Amino acid sequence: MEKLLLRHARILDPSSDLDQIGDLLLVDGSLQQVGGTVEASDAQVIDASGMVVAPGLVDMHVHLRDPGFTEKEDILTGCRAAAAGGVTSLLCMPNTKPAIDTPETVRYILDKASQADAHVYVAAAITKGLQSGELDDLAALREAGAVALSDDGRPVVHSRLMARAMQAAPELGMRVVSHCEDLDLSKGGLMNEGAVSRELGVPGVPNAAEDCGTARDIALAEAYQVPIHICHVSSRTSVAMIRDAKRRGVQVTAETAPHYFSLTDALLRARDADFRMSPPLRTEVDRLAVIEGLRDGTIDAIATDHAPHTPQEKADFSKAPNGSIGMETSLAAGITYLVKPGLLTLRELLRLMSTAPAKILKIPAGTLETSRPADLVLFDPEEQWTVDPEKLHGKSRNAVFKGRLLTGRVKLTICGGKIVYRDGE
Ligand SMILES: [Zn+2]
Ligand SMILES: [Zn+2]
């Protein structure tokens, strides 16, 4: 029997409202005791004084780029980045090549992921090739193991198709996660449309491009009384619409990403494509509205939209594809920009990053329950570190927090009972 004892940790489990200083014992990778004092002379002991142990993080929006774009990332390297960020479960998006629109591709991913450092869940495509032309065989995708549906990277353009998918998904036990964007309004835009884009003379993407998508999907959820999950909320107007819809009882949930609560379009003045993503970094007013949405429960989860691209692709400001990586910095960004300024408690942050997304996806994660293989993260909530993209664990370097001093450092990640990351090793 292999025993591992984390001693004197602050144990924080949002799923059970546990918050106490105590010991945590793993036996053969399973949580045996959580809290209190443990005597185990034959255990390997880690002194966790001053550290926090929490459920492994759940990142419900990740691009693993595999199959088809493995020069950017692959399933194994993406999960290595996850482990380094304390993420033990993730949902991967279907805009691969081929797109995840057949049972074979779902199985390819799940098969390769069985060797990876994180639990991988699959969001399969809603339409064939993400082209908004023809609905996939959703039941077959579910049968193959997909838990969610999305055309992420793009919206489902035709509302009738989207409505059909949203109506079919609950019966299949799947969650539709929607990239909200009016492609007509966003066409040609490289950054947020506003004072900075005008100053730079760069074509912009208005809030309305995101908001039209958000409004449509809320309307469909309301009309057919089915759930919808809104991805990467960035605009103050979308936050307001989601808040209003929730008040009226619409089954809408939402996520935002760390860059939307911490950064603004002012960064685009550097004409650095690493700061280009979809939706784009918005204004300070939008950033504050996103934070208010996190505080009042309008936004349910924090996900990264981890979107690796090679340095060559990101070299040209106007030609570069959208997206930035984020799994290795998400916890620290949350601590730095939400917990340190007193906007959220650490427990609230961890709920948004573990328990809440697990509940939305209905996956077994986001908890420190005993008697099962452990998924957990141990981190120092006070340690400061400067983000050096060269030291990250994925394949790509397009990190929005590059060069920034962040607070909060992952020390140890255990996934499925196995140590998958240890700081300094
Ligand atoms: Zn998206
Ligand atoms: Zn995405």
Side-chain angles (χ1 to χ4, degrees):
M1 264 203 297
E2 215 170 296
K3 295 185 180 178
L4 177 66
L5 177 58
L6 307 181
R7 220 187 251 300
H8 305 309
R10 179 179 173 195
I11 304 169
L12 249 171
D13 183 359
S15 76
S16 62
D17 280 334
L18 181 70
D19 185 357
Q20 62 158 253
I21 308 279
D23 301 344
L24 192 141
L25 178 69
L26 289 100
V27 178
D28 289 334
S30 276
L31 281 170
Q32 200 80 54
Q33 189 176 332
V34 177
T37 308
V38 176
E39 287 310 327
S41 53
D42 50 345
Q44 184 200 338
V45 178
I46 295 176
D47 177 14
S49 310
M51 312 255 187
V52 174
V53 61
L57 305 180
V58 177
D59 191 337
M60 67 183 297
H61 197 130
V62 174
H63 296 270
L64 290 176
R65 304 297 190 209
D66 186 356
F69 302 106
T70 51
E71 72 282 5
K72 302 173 195 261
E73 193 79 284
D74 64 49
I75 291 165
L76 300 178
T77 59
C79 290
R80 233 171 271 155
V87 174
T88 54
S89 297
L90 62 87
L91 182 69
C92 69
M93 292 295 152
N95 57 343
T96 49
K97 194 173 160 192
I100 310 177
D101 59 1
T102 62
E104 290 70 42
T105 307
V106 174
R107 283 195 286 267
Y108 160 79
I109 291 166
L110 292 176
D111 184 50
K112 192 163 173 184
S114 66
Q115 308 299 316
D117 290 342
H119 304 297
V120 173
Y121 294 89
V122 174
I126 295 171
T127 65
K128 291 245 175 308
L130 312 175
Q131 291 305 303
S132 292
E134 191 188 334
L135 215 55
D136 281 331
D137 184 345
L138 305 182
L141 293 166
R142 172 66 192 173
E143 182 80 4
V147 303
L149 292 166
S150 184
D151 272 6
D152 187 60
R154 292 168 51 84
V156 175
V157 175
H158 301 295
S159 304
R160 191 184 292 269
L161 270 185
M162 186 64 169
R164 278 173 57 199
M166 285 169 62
Q167 288 173 280
E171 287 164 27
L172 295 167
M174 300 174 95
R175 174 70 57 162
V176 177
V177 302
S178 178
H179 171 114
C180 294
E181 179 178 355
D182 182 312
L183 296 176
D184 206 24
L185 287 172
S186 64
K187 197 173 177 191
L190 297 178
M191 59 176 290
N192 180 57
E193 182 176 291
V196 181
S197 71
R198 284 191 289 276
E199 173 194 318
L200 297 174
V202 169
V205 178
N207 278 16
E210 176 177 344
D211 300 339
C212 286
T214 307
R216 181 199 69 175
D217 288 352
I218 287 172
L220 295 177
E222 186 159 20
Y224 299 104
Q225 297 185 18
V226 289
I228 188 68
H229 177 80
I230 310 285
C231 294
H232 41 54
V233 175
S234 75
S235 81
R236 61 186 182 279
T237 24
S238 278
V239 173
M241 278 190 274
I242 295 163
R243 181 179 291 121
D244 173 64
K246 282 191 165 184
R247 280 191 189 136
R248 286 183 288 109
V250 182
Q251 298 173 63
V252 56
T253 53
E255 82 200 19
T256 191
H259 37 272
Y260 300 122
F261 62 68
S262 55
L263 309 175
T264 69
D265 61 353
L267 285 169
L268 275 296
R269 288 199 174 95
R271 287 182 183 267
D272 178 344
D274 285 352
F275 298 116
R276 282 194 38 225
M277 68 273 303
S278 173
L281 294 177
R282 305 280 188 194
T283 66
E284 181 65 3
V285 185
D286 295 290
R287 185 182 80 85
L288 295 174
V290 165
I291 292 173
E292 202 42 48
L294 288 165
R295 279 161 59 87
D296 73 3
T298 299
I299 298 173
D300 304 85
I302 294 170
T304 61
D305 201 358
H306 181 84
H309 293 294
T310 65
Q312 293 78 3
E313 291 171 302
K314 279 292 194 181
D316 186 314
F317 175 67
S318 53
K319 293 200 184 94
N322 284 313
S324 64
I325 56 173
M327 279 195 287
E328 297 184 55
T329 50
S330 57
L331 177 61
I335 292 171
T336 306
Y337 297 102
L338 297 173
V339 177
K340 283 275 152 193
L343 298 164
L344 289 180
T345 64
L346 190 53
R347 176 156 65 173
E348 287 164 339
L349 177 71
L350 291 169
R351 189 177 46 73
L352 287 157
M353 297 186 77
S354 63
T355 311
K359 205 171 150 200
I360 292 168
L361 295 174
K362 297 195 172 82
I363 59 172
T367 173
L368 288 176
E369 270 172 12
T370 51
S371 306
R372 62 181 222 178
D375 291 336
L376 63 81
V377 56
L378 178 75
F379 62 94
D380 183 337
E382 301 295 339
E383 184 175 328
Q384 296 193 312
W385 58 292
T386 301
V387 179
D388 176 356
E390 295 306 321
K391 292 191 177 141
L392 299 177
H393 295 74
K395 277 186 189 170
S396 290
R397 299 288 169 258
N398 50 321
V400 275
F401 295 106
K402 58 185 174 183
R404 278 175 191 262
L405 184 67
L406 300 181
T407 302
R409 182 123 212 199
V410 174
K411 292 288 163 188
L412 176 78
T413 307
I414 294 178
C415 179
K418 285 199 287 267
I419 294 178
V420 288
Y421 176 78
R422 207 163 175 174
D423 184 30
E425 281 175 19

